[in-house]
């Protein structure tokens, strides 16, 4: 079974379009128009056009594109703020909220026309955001799944809690986990394909593949094709196979 995957997006609409173009070229070479494209989450924050990213995804899915979009921790923070101005993600330090410049919520709201969010009271910003963010965008983010599982692969934003059955995994881990997952070398049965933790280049660690190459910080966005358990990064001149460290 062939699937495609795209790493963290972070409001980078141009890079997302480029990733889909590389996927389209590979589809044409394979004569495969039906393989799903798994977007690994973090649609929003840091980059300049979260609104455009969500609109592109909604339009594509609405037109019948075989796209699956997973929820990342930044998407959860965006959703949480829109639902209540006092939202505090349980995995963040109490003094660190979504509008802190380090997290990128200000850039997300700016894409909807809400300016200087980190310089104003959160209630005032929230009131303005209620009229600026389309309800369809909030419903879309609220409905994003946390995992997509095939016979060979687990697609997830951050990772899984090793040793815990998939039906007992919790959202906090699926969108936030690092410790306990990144340093665990045991087989998870299926190969885990994830983002969330930035690597310089897409990397195969044997039991997992990390596709977050830092688009949120102005670095490239990775698109990959997975056939069975073989993973290939899609580059301008074609495929590059990712090889495990053994």
């Amino acid at each position: 079974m062939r699937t495609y995957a795209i790493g963290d997006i972070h409001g980078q609409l141009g890079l997302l379009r480029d990733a889909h173009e590389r996927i389209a070229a590979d589809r044409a070479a394979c004569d495969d128009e039906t393989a799903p494209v798994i977007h690994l989450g973090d649609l929003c924050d840091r980059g300049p056009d979260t609104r455009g990213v969500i609109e592109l995804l909604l339009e594509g899915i609405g037109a019948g594109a075989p796209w699956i979009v997973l929820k990342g921790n930044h998407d959860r923070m965006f959703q949480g703020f829109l639902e209540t101005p006092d939202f505090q993600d349980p995995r963040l330090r109490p003094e660190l909220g979504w509008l802190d410049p380090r997290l990128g919520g200000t850039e997300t709201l700016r894409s909807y026309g809400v300016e200087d969010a980190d310089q104003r009271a959160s209630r005032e910003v929230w009131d303005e955001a209620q009229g600026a963010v389309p309800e369809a965008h909030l419903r879309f983010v609220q409905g994003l799944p946390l995992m997509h599982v095939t016979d060979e692969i687990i697609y997830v934003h951050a990772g899984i809690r090793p040793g815990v059955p998939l039906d007992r995994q919790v959202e906090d881990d699926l969108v936030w986990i690092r410790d306990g997952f990144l340093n665990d070398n045991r087989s998870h049965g299926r190969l885990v394909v994830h983002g969330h933790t930035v690597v310089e280049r897409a990397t195969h660690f044997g039991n997992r593949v990390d596709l977050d190459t830092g688009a949120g910080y102005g670095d490239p966005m990775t698109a990959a094709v997975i056939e069975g358990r073989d993973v290939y990064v899609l580059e301008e001149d074609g495929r590059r196979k990712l090889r495990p460290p053994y």
Side-chain angles (χ1 to χ4, degrees):
M1 180 179 180
R2 178 180 297 113
T3 54
Y4 294 93
I6 296 176
D8 298 34
I9 298 168
H10 284 295
Q12 297 287 357
L13 179 59
L15 294 180
L16 179 60
R17 292 187 186 279
D18 290 345
H20 276 283
E21 287 180 4
R22 296 195 296 276
I23 289 172
D26 193 79
R27 281 193 190 282
C30 298
D31 192 23
D32 183 349
E33 295 301 320
T34 62
V37 181
I38 318 300
H39 303 75
L40 295 175
D42 278 2
L43 316 181
C44 64
D45 295 352
R46 299 197 174 110
D49 201 357
T50 290
R51 179 173 192 149
V53 165
I54 293 177
E55 286 176 349
L56 183 147
L57 295 171
L58 279 169
E59 289 170 4
I61 292 169
W67 295 354
I68 297 166
V69 184
L70 303 182
K71 182 178 291 186
N73 59 311
H74 284 265
D75 309 316
R76 185 169 85 167
M77 288 187 282
F78 180 33
Q79 172 188 335
F81 179 81
L82 292 177
E83 292 174 343
T84 170
D86 301 320
F87 173 78
Q88 179 67 28
D89 194 291
R91 286 296 182 95
L92 287 176
R93 300 192 304 273
E95 72 277 10
L96 188 62
W98 181 61
L99 296 180
D100 187 285
R102 288 169 286 183
L103 293 177
T106 297
E107 286 77 13
T108 290
L109 291 178
R110 184 177 294 123
S111 76
Y112 289 97
V114 179
E115 298 291 343
D116 303 319
D118 59 335
Q119 304 297 317
R120 296 190 281 150
S122 61
R123 172 65 69 167
E124 177 187 344
V125 174
W126 182 83
D127 284 341
E128 186 176 345
Q130 297 308 293
V133 179
E135 184 178 350
H137 287 208
L138 174 57
R139 290 199 306 268
F140 178 64
V141 174
Q142 287 171 327
L144 296 178
L146 297 170
M147 279 191 295
H148 179 73
V149 181
T150 70
D151 290 344
E152 298 283 353
I153 311 293
I154 300 166
Y155 295 95
V156 64
H157 175 65
I160 62 172
R161 179 68 60 182
V164 175
L166 292 183
D167 62 358
R168 295 179 59 190
Q169 296 283 331
V170 299
E171 180 175 311
D172 279 359
D173 285 336
L174 298 176
V175 302
W176 273 107
I177 195 170
R178 287 194 175 99
D179 292 342
F181 170 66
L182 300 180
N183 57 356
D184 192 301
N185 297 320
R186 295 173 292 173
S187 171
H188 304 300
R190 296 174 175 90
L191 180 68
V192 180
V193 176
H194 68 95
H196 184 58
T197 299
V198 175
V199 287
E200 184 175 350
R201 300 180 66 182
T203 305
H204 198 316
F205 292 91
N207 60 349
R208 63 183 180 89
V209 172
D210 189 341
L211 297 183
D212 181 4
T213 45
Y217 300 99
D219 292 322
M221 184 181 299
T222 292
V225 58
I226 299 95
E227 295 173 337
R229 293 174 71 101
D230 292 330
V231 182
Y232 304 84
V233 171
L234 298 178
E235 300 181 335
E236 295 300 328
D237 56 352
R239 296 183 175 196
R240 174 174 60 85
K241 188 169 185 178
L242 288 184
R243 302 187 182 279
Y246 47 76

